[in-house]
Every structure is written in structure tokens, then in C-alpha cells.
Amino acid sequence: MSTKSILKESSITFLEKYLNNASPTGYEAEGQKIWMDYLKPYVDTFITDTYGTAVGVINPDAPYKVVIEGHADEIAWYVNYITEEGMVYVIRNGGSDHQIAPSKRVHIHTKKGIVKGVFGWPAIHTRNRDKEENPKISNIFIDLGCETKEQVDKLGVHVGCVITYPDEFMVLNENKFVCRAIDNRMGGFMIAEVARMLHENKVKLPFGLYITNSVQEEVGLRGAEMITQTIKPNVAIVTDVCHDSTTPMIDKKIEGDTQIGKGPVVTYAPAVQNNLRELILNTAEEKNIPFQRLASSRVTGTDTDAFAYSNGGVASALISLPLRYMHTTVEMVHRDDVENVIKLIYETLLKIENNETFSYFK
């Protein structure tokens, strides 16, 4: 199977629509509907839960259950305080970066619809009187073009409204996908593509496959924590993003040596089950899929941790997509890596045997 054949034109159309849609933590449902609509022809049924995690299921009656997982949410802000002059101060919803906020356009999501605004910032001319302040949570603010708090209220903006950036999908130099929310809407896209390939190649899996798009990862792996109790899987292969450490200002001695375009990143960590990881690495070598290695100390910081430590222990592994500029509005990944993550998950599923325990004590 040639790598070039993996992403179809219809795949990219879905990806663009899915990325451009806002799905902040706690408000993922609209994105989940887009995702389920795309996945529907390739699965037998769906599971959804109280907080919005969506799961496409193939072979729902099979007792042995394999999960492939990404997370659906993106970082955002909450309206936290509105001044009498109509300025809006914020708190984080997930790991939003205060340094990139000044001069960004924003969408505030209200019951009346989207209200547009901007993160204001004092002009450079006015900042050089003394030691200038850096952007921080306490001083970044949103200007809605209102003069009073009453005008803000009238727009439908109130404390607790969620705020996203409107930045949309683009392709740089033919093969770099750029957008906000690639972390980790791209994961949801990649697992959906695995389901499509299984369907189009008429693969009959001997186990149940649970294509899982979890909510609330950005605030502590919460969606995965919930859904793993519902599914009770035997195996979980998680996909998320990791850092491209070759860009300026990143220390490889701390972050490891991983780069976009060099292939999927396979993680070594306590939460990663060694036999499952070796199956993935052997598959990559056998199928000539390029890969990179990364070590995590105590936690992976991804939904892998939530799956691994659930239900008395679930054999779990992490296949990451290297990404530049994480938690900015210009997150960047390489098309080849996207295709190779899809291919690696797909080929690994073909090698998992029904009722495999991955036990160290056989």
C-alpha cells in the first residue's frame, strides 16, 4: 500500500471542515457531529456519553475490545471579568498561551451566536517609558468595541462564555498542514481515516474496534477517563501530538529529538505496555513505515495515561504526530507524518490477535 494513496480529496475536505469548526473543551458537540457524520459509513454503531465523547464501533458484540483514540477538544479561554468600560478579562480553558494573545482576533460564543472581538495591546510607542510589561493572564484583555458593561451584556456576552480563535486551515509549501486545533483534531481525523481504510479494504477484524474521540483532554484527560469505564477495553492505541524539537528555542536535551517529516513518534513510558509497543515498532519495520522514538518520564501527558491505568490496567500505547508551535494558532504538521500515523495504526490493528493479553508472563 503506497503512502501516497492514503488521503483522498474527500479526506482533506473533511479535515478542513473539521479543523475550522470550533470545539473548545467542554463544548465539543458540534465538532463531534461533523466527525460522526464522516465516520458513519465505516462503522456499525456509535456510543456517546454524558459529556460528549463519541465512539464509532465496529463489531459491537465482540467480547475482546480494541480502542484507537484521539481527543476532540481544543484550548480556549473563558470570559472571567467585564469592566465598567466594557473590557473583558479571561481565564484559561486548557493550556492557552497568554504570550500569543495580544492582537489576536477572537470569537466569543454566546446563546445569540458568535460575538467578534480582539485581544487589545498598548502600542509600542507607549510601552518604552520604563521596563515594559510582558503579556500575562492578569493584563491581557478583549475589546469588543463596546464603551460600557451594559453594551457587552446586550451582545449576550457574560462571565463563563467560551472564547476561541477563528484561524483557519491552510497548506504551506504543498505538504505542511497549518491550523489551530491540530492538537488534537488531527488525531480524530487520523482514526477516522483508519476506519475508512478498514471499510474500503473490506477488512474483517476478529475483535471489536472502538474508534474513540474523547472530550476534555486539555483539562486533565477527563473524557478518556470517563469513556474507558464505559468501553472497558482490552487494548488502547492512543494518538496525540508531540513537539518538533528542531525549531528554534527548544532544547533537545530536555524535549528529545523529534521532527516533522521524519515519521510517527513511538513513546517509551511507564503507561506504555512494552509488548504492545514492540508490536507497533515491529509493524513499522516490517511495513517500512518511518518512525521516531521519544521517552516520557512519569506520565505521557496524553489520554494514554487515562486508558492504561483504568479497569485494573489496559495494555496501552502512544503513537504521536510531531507538531510545530503547539498551543498556538499556527500549529504545523507534515502530511507524510499524518499518512504514516494512519498507516501504522491500520497495519498494527491487522496484527493484533483476538484475545491477546500482551502478558509479560506467558
Side-chain angles (χ1 to χ4, degrees), residues 143-250:
D143 188 335
L144 302 178
C146 294
E147 284 95 42
T148 64
K149 187 174 190 297
E150 287 69 33
Q151 289 180 8
V152 175
D153 292 340
K154 206 169 178 183
L155 291 173
V157 173
H158 54 73
V159 169
C161 283
V162 74
I163 303 155
T164 58
Y165 295 119
D167 300 65
E168 295 197 333
F169 178 79
M170 67 176 177
V171 179
L172 285 183
N173 194 25
E174 297 184 356
N175 57 17
K176 311 301 185 307
F177 296 152
V178 176
C179 198
R180 40 147 268 294
I182 284 177
D183 174 13
N184 184 33
R185 212 97 84 240
M186 193 62 80
F189 169 76
M190 293 188 298
I191 59 176
E193 289 298 281
V194 171
R196 176 182 63 77
M197 286 170 56
L198 290 168
H199 179 82
E200 290 178 357
N201 294 328
K202 297 182 169 55
V203 173
K204 297 283 183 236
L205 294 170
F207 46 75
L209 182 65
Y210 291 70
I211 301 110
T212 304
N213 209 7
S214 298
V215 297
Q216 300 196 25
E217 187 273 347
E218 296 290 358
V219 292
L221 323 181
R222 297 308 189 189
E225 187 182 313
M226 290 183 269
I227 201 66
T228 195
Q229 307 303 327
T230 304
I231 298 171
K232 295 187 163 42
N234 300 89
V235 183
I237 297 173
V238 173
T239 183
D240 207 325
V241 293
C242 64
H243 304 288
D244 177 336
S245 63
T246 68
T247 55
M249 300 166 69
I250 295 183

Side-chain angles (χ1 to χ4, degrees), residues 14 32-47 54-58 68 188-199 209-213:
F14 161 58
Q32 296 288 52
K33 289 172 190 172
I34 293 169
W35 183 79
M36 289 195 294
D37 189 54
Y38 180 76
L39 197 61
K40 196 172 185 183
Y42 313 130
V43 298
D44 297 323
T45 188
F46 284 98
I47 298 169
V55 186
V57 188
I58 297 170
I68 57 174
F189 169 76
M190 293 188 298
I191 59 176
E193 289 298 281
V194 171
R196 176 182 63 77
M197 286 170 56
L198 290 168
H199 179 82
L209 182 65
Y210 291 70
I211 301 110
T212 304
N213 209 7

Side-chain angles (χ1 to χ4, degrees), residues 30-96:
E30 291 310 308
Q32 296 288 52
K33 289 172 190 172
I34 293 169
W35 183 79
M36 289 195 294
D37 189 54
Y38 180 76
L39 197 61
K40 196 172 185 183
Y42 313 130
V43 298
D44 297 323
T45 188
F46 284 98
I47 298 169
T48 56
D49 74 3
T50 313
Y51 280 86
T53 290
V55 186
V57 188
I58 297 170
N59 302 337
D61 297 327
Y64 187 79
K65 301 172 183 177
V66 177
V67 161
I68 57 174
E69 194 259 10
H71 71 82
D73 58 319
E74 64 182 289
I75 56 169
W77 302 98
Y78 282 121
V79 174
N80 186 50
Y81 171 63
I82 303 163
T83 71
E84 290 306 317
E85 295 74 35
M87 295 300 183
V88 173
Y89 285 81
V90 299
I91 55 171
R92 291 187 176 97
N93 182 14
S96 299

Side-chain angles (χ1 to χ4, degrees), residues 18 104 107 121 171 252 282 333 337 342:
Y18 186 46
K104 290 298 300 177
H107 283 170
W121 196 242
V171 179
K252 290 183 186 177
N282 292 341
V333 295
D337 293 337
I342 294 164

